[in-house]
Amino acid sequence: MGTLKKMKLVLAALTFYAVVQVLNLAGILNGYFMVIINRSLIAVIFAVSLNLINGITGQFSLGHMGFAAVGAYVSGTLTTLFFHLNLNHPFDNLGFLAAILLGGLMASLAGFLIGFPSLRLKGDYLAIVTLGFGEIIRTILNNISYVGGPRGLLGIPKFSNFTVIFLFALATIVLIRNLVQSSIGRSMLSIRENELASELVGVDTTRYKVLGFVVGAFFAGIGGGLLAHLLQIAHPTQYGFYASALILIMVYVGGIGSLTGSIIAAFSLTFLTEGLRVGIDWLRDTVGVPIGTEWTMVIYAVLLILIMLFKTEGLMGMREAKILIIKEKEG
Amino acid sequence: MKKTYLFTLGLAVGAILPFIGCNKNKDIVIGGVAPLTGEAATFGTSTKQGYDLAVAEWNAKGGVLGKQIKLAFADDKGDPAEGATVYTKLIEQDKAIAILGTVMSKVSLAGAPICQAAKIPMIATASTNPKVTDVGPFIFRACYIDPFQGTVGAKFAFDELKARKAACLFDVGNDYPKGLSEFFKAKFTALGGEVVGFEGHATGTSDFKAQLTKVLAAKPDLLYISDYYSDVAIMAKQARELGFKGPMLGGDGWDSPKLIEIAGSAVEGCFFTNHYAKEDKAPVVQEFVMKYTDKYKAAPDALAALAYDAANIMLDAITRAGATDGAAIQAALGKTDLRVVTGQVKFDEKRNPVKSAVIIEIKGGHEVYKTTIAP
Amino acid sequence: MGSIFSPQQIVNGLQLGAIYALIALGYTMVYGIVRLINFAHGDFFMVGAYAAFGSFFMFNFLLPPGNGLAFIVLILAMAAGAAIAVITDYFAYKPLRYKPKLSSLVTAIGVSMLLEYAFSAIPVIGPSPRGFPEVLPKQMFHFAQVDISNYVIVDLAVAGVLMIGLTFLIQRTALGRAMRAVSQDKDAAKLMGINVDRIISLTFLIGGAFAGAAGLLAGLTYPRIQPYMGILPGLKAFIAAVLGGIGSIPGAVLGAFIMGIAETCATAYNSLLGEGIAFVILIVVLLLRPSGIFGEKTADKI
């Protein structure tokens, strides 16, 4: 049963991949669409990994993009400054993969460090500490001239493409899904529901809380590395509070604790941003309403507030799409 | 559960719809990029106004190549990821034949490879990082690069103002001020001066007293403030409060009517390097200042002038190319020799403009032309 | 080179601290009563600054810049800060009061983003910084190697008067007693006949008014206002409140002055350190003494 279900997810994902790829090659979907797809997939990586920390383990991170920064800078430094990897060299693609994974590992080290305060702090305090962590990372990056300081890390080779990003996004979903639906995941959930009680029944809360941060940060680092190799630049300001808040919006709109929700929200909000861009331009240029794309963020802020007020559990609540469930719940 | 799937499917179809089919435009489409959201929004606003003014003027004169020009504008939010998205959108979706923008170097650096790959000529307006035009032969810029202004400033400070001890203040989170201060320091030291203070500050702070108190303790003759006007204005006020009486000097980031509005008498007797002087008798300058002030009820700042120039340089090149394909425009751009607001522009082999700088003095609450320094 | 702890730097730090203190009081009061980090509090400060800016131009026709005008502007800035705080609480926080704490925190982030982006998107306000008028004519004093403007004195005086007023209110009046009761135990307070919702609204009102006052003072002292001006001071004031012991009024004030001076002195030592010192303080305090200087140790109720 399990294998079949697992296969179903992968099959569905591959179908998605094939459809997009064919439509793109046929010229029906243009490059703009592909950029949005790529950004959506990277957003999926960020949102699903943040959901592991905030939703599943019940911790609270406001500095998720800080982990992404670590991944982006570590992998970018390796490919660009250390080894001067070349796109046209097939062997260098392996080097790129290694750099991305190493970036993820370094990010998870940062997650390990930031996971420690979570042993003592709860909820809102932890939120502020993670926010501070993100800001510290940014300040440090701004002041290391080796990686460009405020100029950013430049000239990163463009190793990321739709295929690479798709595979990493799929791997992120599958691995986090498997983790969440294992006994480890159930322990994590128990911490969220009631930390004291789960400690009393013998769950090693310390271990699972830190593990949530480590794994979440690992994938955020991967996402950061992919983004840097897509944009060919990593810049300290990309990883500030507002970038983290945007991921947070995705997680909460989708449903805290629901991976399906995060995936849907990552896609729909990324597409909504572009839809709003096109829509607002149309309103301004054709209808003549004097508004600009700066209203997009106003709309998102309102959306977040409305979701919290009227559908606190998000679009999906705690539910998962069947395709993402390994075993049917018992009892 | 079914409902959710239907919802998702509907969303997916709805999302794809706008991207199918292509744009059939009778007009010539020029892409324009600037940040209108976020902390750089203030720079984006004047940049967009600069584009709009230039395009409106050309259209009033009959457009370019016998067609009207449509400016497809996109907000880059001051973020590289957004930048990559909108450059792609302008090229793929709006079918822009050339792109103007953008302000922040980090965003131009994300957009430039896209323009280069699509062979669409691009003129960055205010991106001073030398690496921007290194991306490829299709990337040009309208502004100076950091080394030039810093060097000019240092020469002026040493030779004209006879300053021997200078202190630099700059925003550490922004490449333009930091680069400018670094080049000023290098040149000033090379000339035999001494930089007695070199202090950064975080982006977004308003309290510079700690840095100022520290550098003023070393008794500098001159403060070199390489920030944008709004930081400069309050820094100048605080420097005066702390008893600094000497001159302050800066770069084109100072050029905004807001500088004197906010700083008042604090910047009296201060200087900055700029692209042009508003009292320059050249008709192109006078017309620009008049029309801009008329349309937007405020005097133009440096960013507006650079955006206006970028648009004019691009449209001039398209006219000379007589065609709308990227390679032809790119070739014509390379041969540019045009008097625009910010000077007589030619491009060097790295596609940076070769133009002189002027020094502006603030006297009696007005910006007054002081001298011109050739490149 | 000037010493890191030169008298001038201490004065700079005190001035910064006074503004942090007014913002920190709002954080600490709201946290003390509803256990919510009001993320939007820094933006109330921004709203206050814009209100002060607007009311200056409204009343400048009647009065010349001076004490009278400054007083009117102060009252209106406080009123605007209070209004936005009460409205925010009513629409965004109150409906979530009995839901998990983190939902309110996320909503607060939403409100914060809404205020910043809306202010910058609304054409009459716009994203560009504006120069803040000299509501009070500036005077400079120089003694014992220290340059002081009358603004330093005004900042400290306004902050001092408001803090003393607040302390009196909380310690000596029936309303203050009710506030303390609600902060200790909402249910018991309700049983004692206290209108808990009204007390919470009043807390937001006072906190917002203080933020509004801070907005005016910041406008005077650092004469530039813009929609994003509340982010950094808000964050630092919050850290000051944590340092002093969140929920504690004297703690917030002490924390704010320590923060102001620490930041100024750290910057004087090294600007990178100055940029990060706030967060370093935060992390150190939370790891070593999460309850802060004056905070009481409370077990998290489960």
Side-chain angles (χ1 to χ4, degrees), chain B residues 37-39 41-42 45 172 196 199-200 202-211 213-214 217-218 229-231 234 237-238 241-243 258 261-262, chain C residues 1-2 6 8-9 12 15-16 117 127-131 134 138 140 147 149 152 221-224 226 228 231-232 236 264 267-271 275:
Chain B
T37 316
E39 299 190 35
T42 163
T45 313
V172 285
V196 294
E199 290 295 318
T203 312
T205 41
S206 294
D207 182 62
F208 306 108
K209 285 192 171 169
Q211 287 93 336
T213 303
K214 184 180 175 189
Y229 60 88
S230 88
D231 282 345
I234 43 175
K237 276 201 147 178
Q238 290 171 18
E241 269 177 46
L242 293 171
K258 298 235 174 209
E261 181 194 315
I262 301 176
Chain C
M1 294 302 265
S6 73
Q8 181 73 56
Q9 295 290 26
N12 298 342
Q15 188 177 18
L16 191 59
Y117 286 115
S128 301
R130 285 167 193 275
E134 287 197 359
K138 186 186 272 182
M140 296 297 308
D147 289 287
S149 73
V152 177
T221 316
Y222 314 112
R224 165 185 65 176
Q226 52 194 1
Y228 301 96
I231 302 174
L232 273 184
K236 287 174 180 169
T264 314
T267 306
Y269 179 67
N270 174 305
S271 49
E275 211 180 326

Side-chain angles (χ1 to χ4, degrees), chain B residues 262-318:
Chain B
I262 301 176
S265 60
V267 287
E268 191 65 27
C270 295
F271 303 86
F272 62 96
T273 48
N274 200 11
H275 309 270
Y276 73 111
K278 291 194 182 64
E279 73 221 65
D280 189 332
K281 292 288 176 294
V284 56
V285 175
Q286 285 310 315
E287 235 171 81
F288 167 67
V289 173
M290 199 190 71
K291 281 186 186 163
Y292 188 95
T293 314
D294 219 43
K295 192 166 176 184
Y296 301 112
K297 309 291 168 230
D301 57 14
L303 289 144
L306 288 170
Y308 180 82
D309 282 355
N312 275 308
I313 294 170
M314 187 64 91
L315 291 168
D316 168 70
I318 296 174

Side-chain angles (χ1 to χ4, degrees), chain B residues 165-342:
Chain B
K165 280 163 67 177
C168 299
L169 293 149
F170 54 90
D171 179 347
V172 285
N174 204 328
D175 55 347
Y176 159 79
K178 194 173 181 204
L180 216 51
S181 269
E182 280 167 358
F183 287 107
F184 174 89
K185 184 183 180 186
K187 183 70 185 177
F188 194 72
T189 319
L191 287 170
E194 189 192 351
V195 174
V196 294
F198 195 74
E199 290 295 318
H201 64 83
T203 312
T205 41
S206 294
D207 182 62
F208 306 108
K209 285 192 171 169
Q211 287 93 336
L212 284 164
T213 303
K214 184 180 175 189
V215 301
L216 292 183
K219 305 263 178 259
D221 313 326
L222 171 117
L223 291 183
Y224 188 72
I225 306 177
S226 54
D227 280 323
Y228 281 108
Y229 60 88
S230 88
D231 282 345
V232 173
I234 43 175
M235 212 184 272
K237 276 201 147 178
Q238 290 171 18
R240 296 297 185 221
E241 269 177 46
L242 293 171
F244 180 67
K245 303 225 161 42
M248 294 177 240
L249 176 69
D252 60 340
W254 284 38
D255 182 19
S256 164
K258 298 235 174 209
L259 176 70
I260 296 171
E261 181 194 315
I262 301 176
S265 60
V267 287
E268 191 65 27
C270 295
F271 303 86
F272 62 96
T273 48
N274 200 11
H275 309 270
Y276 73 111
K278 291 194 182 64
E279 73 221 65
D280 189 332
K281 292 288 176 294
V284 56
V285 175
Q286 285 310 315
E287 235 171 81
F288 167 67
V289 173
M290 199 190 71
K291 281 186 186 163
Y292 188 95
T293 314
D294 219 43
K295 192 166 176 184
Y296 301 112
K297 309 291 168 230
D301 57 14
L303 289 144
L306 288 170
Y308 180 82
D309 282 355
N312 275 308
I313 294 170
M314 187 64 91
L315 291 168
D316 168 70
I318 296 174
T319 313
R320 281 186 292 112
T324 56
D325 72 292
I329 302 171
Q330 190 262 348
L333 268 176
K335 297 195 192 82
T336 298
D337 187 1
L338 185 68
R339 170 67 217 225
V340 287
V341 176
T342 62

Side-chain angles (χ1 to χ4, degrees), chain A residues 63-82:
Chain A
H64 203 56
M65 289 306 270
F67 301 132
V70 174
Y73 270 83
V74 168
S75 62
T77 306
L78 289 173
T79 57
T80 316
L81 300 175
F82 270 23

Side-chain angles (χ1 to χ4, degrees), chain A residues 121-140:
Chain A
L121 303 170
K122 289 211 170 66
D124 40 14
Y125 274 88
L126 184 61
I128 296 295
V129 167
T130 52
L131 172 70
F133 157 77
E135 293 299 306
I136 287 176
I137 295 252
R138 213 163 56 82
T139 309
I140 292 174

Side-chain angles (χ1 to χ4, degrees), chain A residues 120 125 129 132 143 242 312, chain C residues 99 107 116 246 272 279 286-287:
Chain A
R120 291 193 61 166
Y125 274 88
V129 167
N143 285 281
Y242 283 93
T312 314
Chain C
K99 294 233 172 137
T107 314
E116 284 157 21
I246 201 151
L272 166 61
F279 297 106
L286 287 183
L287 289 181

